[in-house]
Amino acid sequence: MRHSRIAVKVLEGEEPIFYDPVYNGRTLKIFGMDDYPVRFLSYLMRQYREIGYSTVVFDTTGDFKGEFDEILKIRDGGNMGLDPINLYKAGYFDPYTAVTIVQTLYGLDRSLTDRLYVDVLLGKVSSVPEAVKRNEKYSEVILESYTPLDEAFYTGEPPKLEGSILVDMGETHSITLVGMAFLILAAVFEKKRNTAIGLVDGAVLGYTTAGSAALPLLTRPLKHRVTAIASQYSLDSLLNIAGPTLLLYHDPDVQSLVYEASGVPPGPTRKFVGKKSGTLIVRSPESVDVYHGELPEGVL
């Protein structure tokens, strides 16, 4: 079987079973019970570091282990410096992306978004807190859901977002802040190349409107990028993302749901996945291929 240079072994068998983003799809979905998805994702990120990729991991559990150049801890009420307008000024993305993020977070309509965009371009607004104080119509709309947590979240200097980065959300209790941080940082990393991106837990990260808007930014196929989504929850929003699926130990009904959603026909192809095993499901225009094997030693 042919493999590209960024193929990674995911299962042991008579012959090793590889996940290859080039031939299998750029987003790998990992479903399992308890900490199985986190453990496997940690293993996967280590493999990509070994072949020279940087890694960016969004972790809602606080349990992810690995080596990173920067660790960004998201906390309720903390000064995070994650103001999208300030991040645009720091060169992380363009001004319209910054304004579109504000639009998504606060429900601005097109005309108000365009007005805010003009004010940002003219230098009249240099941060979200400044936009709130402008006494414009967009200020009124933002204020309808703006809270002191938002104010603290935007306050401070933008963090250093270079190299391998862990975004630790394990101490974040506000699901709104989780979605905000995920959307803003997804826009920062959207076009980052030679990078493996890990999402733990994908269902939590995509729970809010902001979070669901962030998922496509990091799962859109992009050369020299790999995304792996680890989750205990087999939600349609994750199952429907294009790409192969790695099924780890889980309840029988969840395993059946994953097989069904992946197009695996009933019968001997559907094997029960035990605690030390896994199943890789790869779809192509011609077929659905199912590979069963044991977990690599680095996962157990």
Side-chain angles (χ1 to χ4, degrees):
M1 182 182 294
R2 61 182 179 177
H3 297 299
S4 72
R5 75 169 191 87
I6 58 173
V8 171
K9 182 175 67 175
V10 293
L11 296 173
E12 303 280 8
E14 293 184 6
E15 294 185 2
I17 299 166
F18 289 84
Y19 159 60
D20 191 336
V22 174
Y23 297 110
N24 303 147
R26 301 282 172 170
T27 300
L28 175 66
K29 297 160 289 184
I30 306 166
F31 297 105
M33 183 184 289
D34 297 335
D35 65 344
Y36 281 91
V38 180
R39 283 158 47 190
F40 196 93
L41 188 63
S42 296
Y43 161 80
L44 194 68
M45 294 295 108
R46 288 197 303 271
Q47 303 310 301
Y48 275 105
R49 280 196 297 273
E50 289 181 4
I51 62 175
Y53 269 43
S54 62
T55 54
V56 174
V57 175
F58 294 84
D59 178 25
T60 63
T61 67
D63 296 330
F64 191 90
K65 308 298 181 186
E67 298 179 3
F68 297 92
D69 299 313
E70 300 289 337
I71 297 178
L72 179 59
K73 289 184 175 290
I74 307 297
R75 296 188 180 93
D76 300 342
N79 294 342
M80 298 289 101
L82 291 177
D83 187 312
I85 300 176
N86 269 332
L87 289 172
Y88 140 63
K89 290 160 54 184
Y92 285 110
F93 40 63
D94 61 82
Y96 198 73
T97 295
V99 173
T100 302
I101 291 171
V102 178
Q103 175 191 32
T104 303
L105 295 179
Y106 298 104
L108 301 181
D109 64 22
R110 183 180 298 274
S111 63
L112 296 181
T113 301
D114 288 345
R115 180 59 194 169
L116 177 59
Y117 179 55
V118 170
D119 285 352
V120 170
L121 286 180
L122 294 177
K124 296 180 180 179
V125 172
S126 59
S127 68
V128 176
E130 282 191 15
V132 170
K133 299 171 184 176
R134 283 281 297 169
N135 293 322
E136 298 281 352
K137 184 62 178 178
Y138 57 71
S139 308
E140 297 176 14
V141 175
I142 294 173
L143 275 170
E144 289 178 3
S145 54
Y146 194 78
T147 72
L149 289 179
D150 297 43
E151 185 88 14
F153 181 80
Y154 297 132
T155 301
E157 292 297 315
K160 183 179 178 182
L161 300 173
E162 300 176 358
S164 291
I165 299 169
L166 173 64
V167 183
D168 183 354
M169 303 179 181
E171 298 179 16
T172 312
H173 301 288
S174 169
I175 191 65
T176 301
L177 286 188
V178 168
M180 290 170 61
F182 185 37
L183 176 58
I184 293 166
L185 291 170
V188 170
F189 301 127
E190 178 185 7
K191 298 178 182 178
K192 189 174 174 66
R193 306 273 184 160
N194 297 311
T195 302
I197 296 175
L199 310 181
V200 186
D201 182 294
V204 177
L205 287 166
Y207 182 76
T208 62
T209 299
S212 64
L215 276 174
L217 302 182
L218 300 180
T219 58
R220 174 175 58 87
L222 189 69
K223 288 177 63 178
H224 307 297
R225 184 179 75 185
V226 180
T227 300
I229 305 173
S231 182
Q232 298 179 16
Y233 310 99
S234 54
L235 303 182
D236 288 345
S237 58
L238 301 182
L239 287 167
N240 292 333
I241 293 174
T245 298
L246 181 65
L247 177 58
L248 306 178
Y249 179 66
H250 217 312
D251 281 346
D253 56 344
V254 176
Q255 293 192 25
S256 298
L257 176 62
V258 173
Y259 279 130
E260 188 72 27
S262 301
V264 181
T269 309
R270 298 190 187 187
K271 291 184 179 179
F272 178 77
V273 181
K275 291 183 178 180
K276 296 184 178 182
S277 60
T279 294
L280 180 66
I281 306 169
V282 178
R283 301 183 64 170
S284 72
E286 298 84 15
S287 64
V288 178
D289 298 313
V290 183
Y291 305 94
H292 304 284
E294 300 298 312
L295 294 179
E297 184 177 348
V299 179
L300 302 175

